[in-house]
Amino acid sequence: MIALLKSDASASQIDQLVAWFAGQGYHATCTQAGKKTFVVLDEAAAKLDLGLVESQPLVERAVRLSEAYLLVNRKLHPADSQIAVGTAAVGAGAFACIAGPCAVESKAQLHSIATAVKAAGTAILRGGAFKPRTSPYDFQGLAAPGLALLEEAGRDSGLPVASEIMAVRELPLFEHIDLIQVGARNMQNYELLKELGQLDKPILLKRGPANTLDEFLLSAEYIAAGGNSQIILCERGIRGFEPSTRYTLDFSSIPLLKEKSHLPVLVDPSHAMGQARLVPTMALAAVAAGADGLMIEVHNQPEAALCDGMQAILPETFAALMKKITQLRQVLAADNC
Ligand code: PEP
Ligand code: MN
């Protein structure tokens, strides 16, 4: 059992509460997570009456919890969270697409794609400047100049921008990036997550390809525990045994994550499928399954892309997909659906 304390609880009041639990025969420890203070009770306290715990003046809410994550847990925060990303909003009814190239390649490339995805209705422009490539001999991204190009494209198009960070030392370069992406490979880079927890800026956390949902949520908890609750989750496929697709898109994670957590859940069908022709179908399926938004790789010349060209859809395909998404969301929102 866990008790969330009122925000004005003083240290001596907390000591008194811990002593009260001890008097009842239960061991209680105080945990600080983000801006919140919790009292965690030992297993034996499972028998304790929730009402009795909640009747203590310091206790805001008491819940029985089997999960290790607190701040991102829906049991302690029943309402959906909405995360603001510049002018965009994600979650709690707000649906948002993040679209753009895998990697920032040039001013002309980014300008062309940004203009097209903006016209098609994307909410956020993406572009990687630090690329996590499997081979060290592949294009690694334009680094700082790439981020500068993305910022410029964001200003020109009026779109907030998202880009992936790979190391703590890159953080100063992300000052003007609206949404910092933690890629699948870094989902368990706890030192990076702790640093991002210190920021007042939204973080897009992608699921690791071999991670369970509880591991994913504990990574989100690392960010929240530092005080930054602006977190968006992104399912991007997990490692399966089927070689026809790059990864296996785990649709079951969408309702499950939304059940376990109040954070918005996006889906990235581009990295999951690895093939452009499969992306629109999977994007629509993700919307039908309840995703709060999508991340989609779009390129004006996929065959010439420096990274992930195979999975990039053309701007016109993206525009057609966005129309279908709007129609599908209208059907899903209809009373008789
Ligand atoms: C990306 O979004 O460019 C990316 C590398 O994705 P992931 O971390 O999901 O592989
Ligand atoms: Mn990519």
Side-chain angles (χ1 to χ4, degrees):
M1 186 191 291
I2 191 145
L4 169 63
L5 303 191
K6 292 190 176 141
S7 54
D8 55 359
S10 70
S12 65
Q13 286 174 315
I14 296 170
D15 286 347
Q16 277 172 24
L17 182 66
V18 168
W20 180 79
F21 280 120
Q24 307 277 316
Y26 303 112
H27 179 68
T29 42
C30 183
T31 301
Q32 195 72 38
K35 296 174 191 87
K36 302 216 157 111
T37 310
F38 296 91
V39 163
V40 183
L41 292 154
D42 60 14
E43 292 270 308
K47 297 193 278 309
L48 206 54
D49 179 50
L50 285 180
L52 177 66
V53 177
E54 282 188 341
S55 70
Q56 296 305 303
L58 220 55
V59 175
E60 186 168 307
R61 180 184 304 210
V63 285
R64 292 185 214 286
L65 220 60
S66 48
E67 304 86 15
Y69 45 91
L70 308 177
L71 298 168
V72 306
N73 198 319
R74 196 183 276 280
K75 286 182 191 154
L76 283 156
H77 186 301
D80 284 343
S81 282
Q82 187 169 91
I83 311 298
V85 180
T87 51
V90 189
F95 182 90
C97 276
I98 304 175
C102 179
V104 176
E105 297 169 12
S106 68
K107 184 174 169 144
Q109 170 240 20
L110 202 55
H111 179 79
S112 161
I113 298 170
T115 310
V117 295
K118 161 95 192 213
T122 197
I124 301 165
L125 174 67
R126 67 154 282 154
F130 294 94
K131 294 306 309 173
R133 306 305 301 275
T134 303
S135 166
Y137 308 115
D138 285 340
F139 176 60
Q140 302 286 308
L142 296 179
L147 286 180
L149 287 176
L150 183 65
E151 281 169 38
E152 190 185 323
R155 278 195 303 274
D156 292 351
S157 61
L159 290 173
V161 293
S163 201
E164 178 170 353
I165 191 166
M166 293 213 292
V168 172
R169 67 173 179 278
E170 295 159 5
L171 207 44
L173 299 171
F174 281 73
E175 196 186 336
H176 303 296
I177 300 300
D178 302 286
L179 177 63
I180 301 183
Q181 177 176 330
V182 177
R185 292 156 191 82
N186 269 314
M187 187 206 90
Q188 287 183 307
N189 182 341
Y190 299 124
E191 290 309 309
L192 179 59
L193 301 178
K194 281 183 200 167
E195 287 295 324
L196 298 175
Q198 301 303 312
L199 305 183
D200 179 17
K201 182 172 277 223
I203 310 296
L204 179 77
L205 180 65
K206 296 185 99 177
R207 179 181 181 185
N211 287 111
T212 65
L213 299 183
D214 280 5
E215 287 165 347
F216 188 17
L217 291 170
L218 281 167
S219 287
E221 185 79 14
Y222 262 93
I223 302 170
N228 185 0
S229 54
Q230 302 167 74
I231 307 162
I232 302 169
L233 303 171
C234 182
E235 167 62 55
R236 46 76 73 206
I238 51 176
R239 188 72 87 185
F241 52 78
E242 175 53 60
S244 315
T245 53
R246 192 173 175 189
Y247 293 92
T248 294
L249 188 45
D250 179 12
F251 282 109
S252 58
S253 73
I254 306 165
L256 283 169
L257 286 170
K258 292 180 73 69
E259 199 174 275
K260 288 166 178 281
S261 176
H262 51 89
L263 298 175
V265 178
L266 299 195
V267 172
D268 170 355
S270 305
H271 289 89
M273 307 318 288
Q275 296 159 73
R277 73 176 198 291
L278 301 172
V279 168
T281 310
M282 302 304 264
L284 291 168
V287 175
D292 296 296
L294 296 162
M295 169 174 267
I296 300 200
E297 286 189 347
V298 179
H299 202 289
N300 52 344
Q301 279 184 290
E303 63 293 346
L306 296 180
C307 187
D308 283 350
M310 295 264 286
Q311 67 197 34
I313 60 173
L314 288 163
E316 50 268 37
T317 310
F318 179 69
L321 172 62
M322 289 297 277
K323 285 204 178 109
K324 278 204 172 162
I325 289 171
T326 305
Q327 288 167 357
L328 175 59
R329 294 192 67 242
Q330 279 164 359
V331 171
L332 292 171
D335 285 345
N336 56 358
C337 179

